[in-house]
Amino acid sequence: MSKRVILAYSGGLDTSVIVRWLAEKGYEVITYTADVGQGEELEEIPQKAKASGAVEAIVEDLKEEFAKEYCLPTLRALALYEGKYPLTASLSRPLIAKKLVEYAQKFGADFVAHGSTGKGNDQVRFELSVWALNPDLEVLAPVREWEFKSREEEVEYALRFNIPVKVTKEKPYSIDKNLWGISIECGPLEDPWTEPPEDAFEWTVSPEKAPEEAEYVEIYFKEGTPIAINEKEYAKLHELILDLNKIAGRHGVGRIDMVENRLVGIKSREIYEAPAATLLYEAYRDLLSLTLDRYTFHYFLSHIPHHYAKLVYEGLWFSPLREALDGFTEKIAEFVDGTVRLKLYKGRAWVVGRKSERSLYVEDLATYSEKDAFDHRAGAQFTKIFGLPLKILGRVRRK
């Protein structure tokens, strides 16, 4: 009797080869593909999976769940790994792992499988998430075990067995897409000195070829959730994100080129495209600065973004700490109402205006005009008290 395994299947090179490889090892392979906004490729997924050797292929639309339950909490935490990466691929892994566990139970499978390498981050994200939800499942990772030494060898194997894949020796990129962004690696990108070739990018135009005129975009938030762009309201968050990707992408906004520290201890050069996330992060942070009191804002910036990003990056989505941090950011989100106006031009996006009924900005106190209502004499007393510790320290140092 064959062994049944639920494989997280993207339809790319690795997972397509894995289907055939597992079948040759005696496994009955059921592929699972989550539609998290990667696009038109999913139409051909079932046929491709079965052509590779799968006995059944499941495709499930998770775009809105992904947007509301994974992207939005991470946005509210302003989580950027090492200050740059908006956790595009990292976010989809716990959701996919949750579904692998659910379908393993449904089909009576004792195994789930993924296509991560032994030096990749995703192996940790998939396996920790699976074990957090069902510690009795066994996780298979063929890429850590098989005989192939390079992606070129995988391409040759795929061609030999008529496995349909798009990757060629001329364009050997490893690409992972969802509505929050694209991760791109391998090929010429492995040299951190090499400028990324334009054929590596899919969603963003080269800044040099972006429109000559700037575009203004207004994003409206209601209790920490973006709900409108330029007065167009959206019933579904994922549709707003997809439209923002197009708007920012045509101006070359959202390209990220970084050397990051992987979990296994090595450094890796990574390329990301995250147009919508880039705009939303800029807008959300700016609206926070307008509506949060100083103490909460400073505490938030000092403690939440870095720690939240590490939890997501390191595969700890289903941890009590992440859930507790969500409680904090959800409370703060209650104050994030208002509109942010951004200017997009030649690869850049920056905030040029913000307004909110919850604004703590008081013009009569901030102005230097004749409307100035600030008590400057009180400022002198405040400065004396605030500076007292340094004044005492100065006296001691002069002795």
Side-chain angles (χ1 to χ4, degrees):
M1 183 177 178
S2 63
K3 297 166 287 187
R4 185 168 293 174
V5 57
I6 312 296
L7 168 66
Y9 181 72
S10 68
L13 175 63
D14 290 339
T15 55
S16 294
V17 170
I18 285 173
V19 174
R20 173 80 186 197
W21 190 87
L22 284 174
E24 290 183 337
K25 301 293 183 183
Y27 290 94
E28 184 182 79
V29 182
I30 299 171
T31 64
Y32 176 79
T33 304
D35 181 355
V36 285
Q38 56 268 54
E40 71 289 347
E41 298 174 357
L42 299 187
E43 297 176 0
E44 58 191 36
I45 282 289
Q47 181 180 355
K48 181 185 291 187
K50 291 177 180 178
S52 302
V55 298
E56 187 166 348
I58 301 165
V59 178
E60 191 171 14
D61 187 346
L62 301 179
K63 292 192 291 293
E64 187 64 5
E65 181 178 354
F66 179 57
K68 292 181 68 175
E69 303 300 326
Y70 293 81
C71 299
L72 182 59
T74 307
L75 168 65
R76 287 174 171 176
L78 291 181
L80 294 170
Y81 183 67
E82 297 186 338
K84 295 181 71 174
Y85 170 40
L87 303 160
T88 56
S90 311
L91 278 176
S92 68
R93 298 335 188 209
L95 174 57
I96 295 170
K98 184 179 78 168
K99 295 297 180 177
L100 292 179
V101 172
E102 291 176 3
Y103 279 99
Q105 180 177 357
K106 178 178 179 179
F107 286 96
D110 294 321
F111 305 89
V112 297
H114 60 76
S116 181
T117 69
K119 61 182 178 182
N121 299 311
D122 284 340
Q123 61 182 332
V124 179
R125 296 166 187 154
F126 277 123
E127 294 172 31
L128 267 60
S129 296
V130 167
W131 292 334
L133 300 172
N134 186 346
D136 296 326
L137 279 174
E138 185 172 343
V139 184
L140 305 177
V143 181
R144 295 196 302 227
E145 304 173 15
W146 64 21
E147 63 276 16
F148 307 117
K149 303 299 181 184
S150 66
R151 291 180 64 79
E152 288 75 18
E153 290 184 15
E154 289 183 61
V155 172
E156 292 174 2
Y157 178 90
L159 294 174
R160 186 163 71 250
F161 289 101
N162 297 315
I163 299 172
V165 293
K166 288 186 177 181
V167 176
T168 65
K169 293 182 180 179
E170 289 72 33
K171 193 176 178 180
Y173 303 115
S174 175
I175 297 173
D176 185 277
K177 288 193 286 186
N178 61 53
L179 60 87
W180 204 234
I182 307 180
S183 304
I184 312 148
E185 58 183 3
C186 297
L189 302 176
E190 292 177 351
D191 180 358
W193 181 250
T194 299
E195 182 177 358
E198 279 303 312
D199 69 352
F201 298 101
E202 297 188 26
W203 287 358
T204 55
V205 67
S206 169
E208 292 87 350
K209 296 181 180 180
E212 293 300 324
E213 290 189 15
E215 180 175 357
Y216 292 86
V217 177
E218 293 185 0
I219 304 175
Y220 176 69
F221 292 82
K222 181 65 175 178
E223 294 185 352
T225 299
I227 63 170
I229 304 172
N230 296 334
E231 298 185 350
K232 176 184 176 181
E233 294 189 12
Y234 290 79
K236 295 183 177 180
L237 178 58
H238 81 267
E239 293 177 353
L240 179 147
I241 294 171
L242 291 173
D243 279 357
L244 270 184
N245 277 327
K246 295 175 184 176
I247 294 170
R250 63 173 173 251
H251 289 276
V253 172
R255 293 187 175 188
I256 301 163
D257 183 345
M258 65 184 291
V259 175
E260 70 187 43
N261 289 285
R262 284 190 175 180
L263 279 168
V264 295
I266 65 173
K267 290 186 182 292
S268 175
R269 196 277 188 88
E270 304 288 341
I271 303 298
Y272 301 104
E273 289 181 279
T278 297
L279 296 190
L280 289 171
Y281 270 72
E282 289 288 337
Y284 196 88
R285 186 193 186 285
D286 202 85
L287 204 52
L288 278 178
S289 72
L290 187 68
T291 61
L292 278 190
D293 65 276
R294 180 178 66 177
Y295 305 106
T296 306
F297 186 61
H298 286 178
Y299 182 90
F300 171 85
L301 290 180
S302 300
H303 293 81
I304 306 302
H306 172 70
H307 292 295
Y308 201 102
K310 277 179 62 65
L311 289 171
V312 177
Y313 190 86
E314 295 177 359
L316 297 170
W317 182 268
F318 296 107
S319 66
L321 178 55
R322 198 274 306 171
E323 294 172 356
L325 292 179
D326 275 352
F328 182 85
T329 58
E330 285 172 11
K331 180 62 181 178
I332 286 178
E334 295 176 7
F335 301 92
V336 186
D337 284 354
T339 304
V340 178
R341 186 169 68 246
L342 300 106
K343 185 175 183 178
L344 317 182
Y345 184 68
K346 295 290 185 182
R348 290 189 59 215
W350 61 99
V351 175
V352 294
R354 73 287 289 163
K355 61 182 179 180
S356 172
E357 292 184 358
R358 291 181 171 272
S359 173
L360 300 181
Y361 179 88
V362 180
E363 185 176 357
D364 287 350
L365 294 177
T367 184
Y368 286 91
S369 70
E370 65 277 2
K371 296 180 181 180
D372 188 354
F374 188 85
D375 185 349
H376 290 264
R377 289 172 295 182
Q381 297 302 316
F382 168 80
T383 303
K384 287 182 180 180
I385 296 173
F386 186 74
L388 184 58
L390 284 179
K391 189 172 184 180
I392 294 171
L393 179 61
R395 286 173 177 170
V396 171
R397 285 175 173 173
R398 285 174 63 98
K399 291 182 179 179

